[in-house]
Amino acid sequence: EAGVTQSPTHLIKTRGQQATLRCSPISGHTSVYWYQQALGLGLQFLLWYDEGEERNRGNFPPRFSGRQFPNYSSELNVNALELEDSALYLCASSPGTRTDTQYFGPGTRLTVL
Amino acid sequence: TQLLEQSPQFLSIQEGENLTVYCNSSSVFSSLQWYRQEPGEGPVLLVTVVTGGEVKKLKRLTFQFGDARKDSSLHITAAQPGDTGLYLCAGQGGKLIFGQGTELSVKP
């Protein structure tokens, strides 16, 4: 069974641009979570989608947004990129509720120049 | 705000040594998970502990959940270079809260 997949693997943007990151959950999983892992800051929760709806978001500005599609895949959009947005963005999926074990993808490394 | 403090942040040891990583909080968690992350990859779940005082073993790794379900430890016996990686604890209390991680380097 395929795990969580993310694309692209690496993304290089300049300040002010927009970035779009994609995630495909494990088959049968309806919940998708996005995390930011910046150097020295650990994993910071960004967004949680379940059944196409945004269920919760972390302490990030509105320029971080996303959506979940009918096939449960998800997109994370970051507008007006800033240098400090450079990080590894991890997507995780779980079968349903927020208390289920989360399975992580390999991440997208975003570099903002 | 729920926080998880991991210590030490960095650990560099020789092959064959033992080590313990700690994960502490002032909050009670319904469960606690330990993950291992290698460079360029996402975290991989090692274990979930649920009951206060619970001890779980995974080969040379021993995980313990504190009696009050506020803290946990990971003990590795006879560390090997393959154990090198970032170890993360995560507490479940309505949402998953991650610690900062412990970067372990085991030198041959």
Side-chain angles (χ1 to χ4, degrees):
Chain A
E1 182 182 285
V4 176
T5 59
Q6 291 186 243
S7 63
T9 305
H10 294 90
L11 191 57
I12 299 175
K13 295 283 186 179
T14 56
R15 197 167 47 183
Q17 286 188 312
Q18 179 198 30
T20 299
L21 289 65
R22 296 180 177 83
C23 171
S24 291
I26 291 172
S27 177
H29 286 191
T30 62
S31 276
V32 170
Y33 312 84
W34 287 95
Y35 294 87
Q36 182 194 67
Q37 188 176 30
L39 208 58
L41 292 179
L43 268 74
Q44 305 294 316
F45 167 70
L46 268 164
L47 290 158
W48 169 35
Y49 292 97
D50 183 61
E51 298 283 0
E53 301 278 336
E54 181 180 302
R55 301 298 185 184
N56 202 355
R57 67 178 291 129
N59 189 26
F60 280 84
R63 57 191 186 83
F64 286 84
S65 65
R67 53 180 171 166
Q68 186 177 33
F69 299 99
N71 66 354
Y72 302 115
S73 67
S74 178
E75 219 172 63
L76 173 69
N77 294 294
V78 188
N79 294 319
L81 284 166
E82 300 178 1
L83 297 178
E84 50 266 34
D85 295 333
S86 294
L88 181 68
Y89 288 83
L90 291 161
C91 170
S93 74
S94 74
T97 67
R98 192 69 190 271
T99 57
D100 286 331
T101 298
Q102 297 180 20
Y103 299 86
F104 285 83
T108 292
R109 172 71 63 185
L110 173 64
T111 301
V112 183
L113 303 175
Chain B
T1 303
Q2 294 176 305
L3 289 173
L4 272 172
E5 299 285 338
Q6 272 188 252
S7 62
Q9 191 174 352
F10 299 97
L11 193 54
S12 181
I13 61 173
Q14 293 296 129
E15 182 176 1
E17 291 184 15
N18 301 331
L19 67 114
T20 303
V21 176
Y22 299 94
C23 180
N24 297 297
S25 175
S26 58
S27 303
V28 175
F29 293 100
S30 59
S31 67
L32 197 137
Q33 300 173 350
W34 284 93
Y35 290 82
R36 179 164 162 259
Q37 185 179 17
E38 296 191 48
E41 298 181 13
V44 174
L45 180 67
L46 295 173
V47 77
T48 300
V49 284
V50 178
T51 308
E54 182 176 2
V55 176
K56 281 192 174 179
K57 289 183 185 287
L58 187 65
K59 296 183 182 177
R60 295 176 292 99
L61 278 60
T62 302
F63 305 85
Q64 184 162 8
F65 202 11
D67 291 341
R69 290 185 288 131
K70 292 182 180 182
D71 54 86
S72 181
S73 63
L74 158 60
H75 182 80
I76 301 179
T77 304
Q80 298 177 2
D83 296 327
T84 293
L86 178 68
Y87 289 82
L88 294 155
C89 65
Q92 185 61 264
K95 59 180 179 179
L96 205 57
I97 307 293
F98 280 87
Q100 302 285 67
T102 294
E103 190 74 54
L104 172 64
S105 173
V106 182
K107 301 186 189 311

